Amino acid sequence: MTEEVEMQAAAAVTAPDLQDGEHVGAALRSLREARGLSVADISALTRIRPAHVEAIESLSLGDLPSRPFTIGYLRAYAQALGLPGDAAVARFKADDPDRNDALRPPVGVRRMADPRLRLMLLAGLLILSAIFAWNLIRRGSLNEASQGSATPVSDAPALQTPTGPMTLGAPLPAPVESNAPPAYLTPGLEAVLSAALPETLTAGEDPTLLDMGETFVPKGEIYGAPAGSGRIVVQARRPTTLIVWGPDGAAWFARKVAAGDAYRAPSGTNLVFETVEAGVMAVFVEGQARGVLPSGRTPTSALAIAPTVPGRPAPAPAPKP
């Protein structure tokens, strides 16, 4: 028993320590060799590359990453040997005091400038030089033009501004568009259509929108008076807006009507039809076509005239009930 204690005491005296060796790396190498471990074993235990393990043992700081990484490697190395990591870090800081050096780039990495940056700078300088030269040339051209076009000062007396009231003549008509061809009119068509319409409906409408020989056929809603109580009916040939004014000036009817919708005016009441488009509302009197409404307002008294279609006799008036 006494011999065993003596052997352990001798081993403790002869065992290496972190304070042995010329630096902490040498102490770690001695401790690794004393435990019978290889560099590969330490690399497997600490996940540190074998090259970095050898650099730590030789304390070759140029082959190691930045100082914070080196301190972490030393701590892991000491703990893999069963030693306190803080003691290994303290020995390292004593061997190599911190000089607040900047972080070194990773080993094997070389800084290279982007070659495209130089080309971009060169292109920008060329563009700026071209713009500057163009501005100089343009300014010189403008100066020469202004000097060449300068009018000499004339010795003629200046015109005197008339005093007193001035008389203006009548305004001139608007210029005629020279490139607009005149509208083509079929010979004889205007006379026939004008004769087929009453005088109150010949201005402003397009009589070609209505066949003067057609009769009224319901094609949609019929507003106003019921059937048999009115002689005058207006029918929309396409969607439009119709307003009907009563004899008292109040609006009896105002809405947007669809194609085929109609309005029947009650007999004995003088109404006024108002449309915003000419030639859209067809006029029927006693069921026979009488033309189309012009734009604006048209009283029913101007529409209650017997039809005058050439070659067509006037229809007989409807019997009174």
Side-chain angles (χ1 to χ4, degrees):
M1 184 67 182
T2 305
E3 294 179 357
E4 184 178 354
V5 173
E6 292 178 354
M7 292 177 62
Q8 292 179 356
V13 172
T14 58
D17 186 74
L18 281 174
Q19 303 301 325
D20 297 341
E22 57 180 342
H23 49 70
V24 67
L28 290 173
R29 181 175 63 249
S30 300
L31 290 169
R32 174 180 62 78
E33 293 174 351
R35 285 168 172 74
L37 299 175
S38 63
V39 173
D41 295 334
I42 298 299
S43 176
L45 291 173
T46 60
R47 304 293 183 182
I48 301 174
R49 294 170 54 185
H52 288 169
V53 174
E54 295 176 353
I56 291 173
E57 292 180 350
S58 62
L59 207 61
S60 300
L61 299 181
D63 297 333
L64 292 170
S66 60
R67 187 179 182 87
F69 284 97
T70 301
I71 292 175
Y73 290 170
L74 286 169
R75 190 186 302 276
Y77 194 158
Q79 291 174 354
L81 296 175
L83 301 173
D86 294 339
V89 173
R91 173 67 190 279
F92 171 71
K93 292 183 177 180
D95 296 337
D96 184 55
D98 186 8
R99 297 181 297 273
N100 294 325
D101 295 338
L103 295 179
R104 294 192 298 272
V107 177
V109 177
R110 184 176 61 179
R111 294 183 178 272
M112 297 181 63
D114 191 353
R116 295 175 299 178
L117 181 60
R118 183 177 299 177
L119 294 177
M120 293 174 62
L121 292 176
L122 181 60
L125 290 176
L126 291 177
I127 293 174
L128 291 177
S129 301
I131 294 175
F132 181 73
W134 180 79
N135 285 331
L136 290 179
I137 295 174
R138 184 170 178 272
R139 180 174 297 180
S141 301
L142 292 176
N143 291 337
E144 293 179 359
S146 61
Q147 293 177 2
S149 61
T151 55
V153 179
S154 176
D155 296 336
L159 297 177
Q160 297 182 356
T161 304
T163 58
M166 299 179 62
T167 303
L168 299 178
L172 297 176
V176 180
E177 188 67 26
S178 59
N179 57 356
Y184 176 77
L185 297 177
T186 304
L189 179 61
E190 184 178 4
V192 173
L193 295 176
S194 299
L197 296 174
E199 292 183 359
T200 56
L201 301 181
T202 57
E205 72 265 16
D206 183 3
T208 61
L209 296 176
L210 181 65
D211 180 8
M212 297 304 300
E214 67 177 291
T215 58
F216 173 70
V217 177
K219 299 178 182 179
E221 295 288 340
I222 301 178
Y223 303 98
S229 60
R231 300 174 55 239
I232 301 174
V233 179
V234 292
Q235 187 179 39
R237 304 185 67 82
R238 63 173 181 265
T240 186
T241 301
L242 175 65
I243 303 175
V244 180
W245 300 93
D248 56 352
W252 283 25
F253 179 85
R255 72 166 54 194
K256 185 176 181 62
V257 294
D261 291 351
Y263 184 91
R264 181 182 290 110
S267 300
T269 305
N270 188 20
L271 303 181
V272 176
F273 295 119
E274 181 177 357
T275 58
V276 296
E277 300 177 84
V280 180
M281 297 299 299
V283 180
F284 296 89
V285 178
E286 301 292 353
Q288 297 297 320
R290 290 297 309 275
V292 290
L293 288 178
S295 61
R297 297 191 178 189
T298 304
T300 55
S301 59
L303 303 176
I305 304 174
T308 57
V309 180
R312 187 182 184 90
K320 295 182 178 180

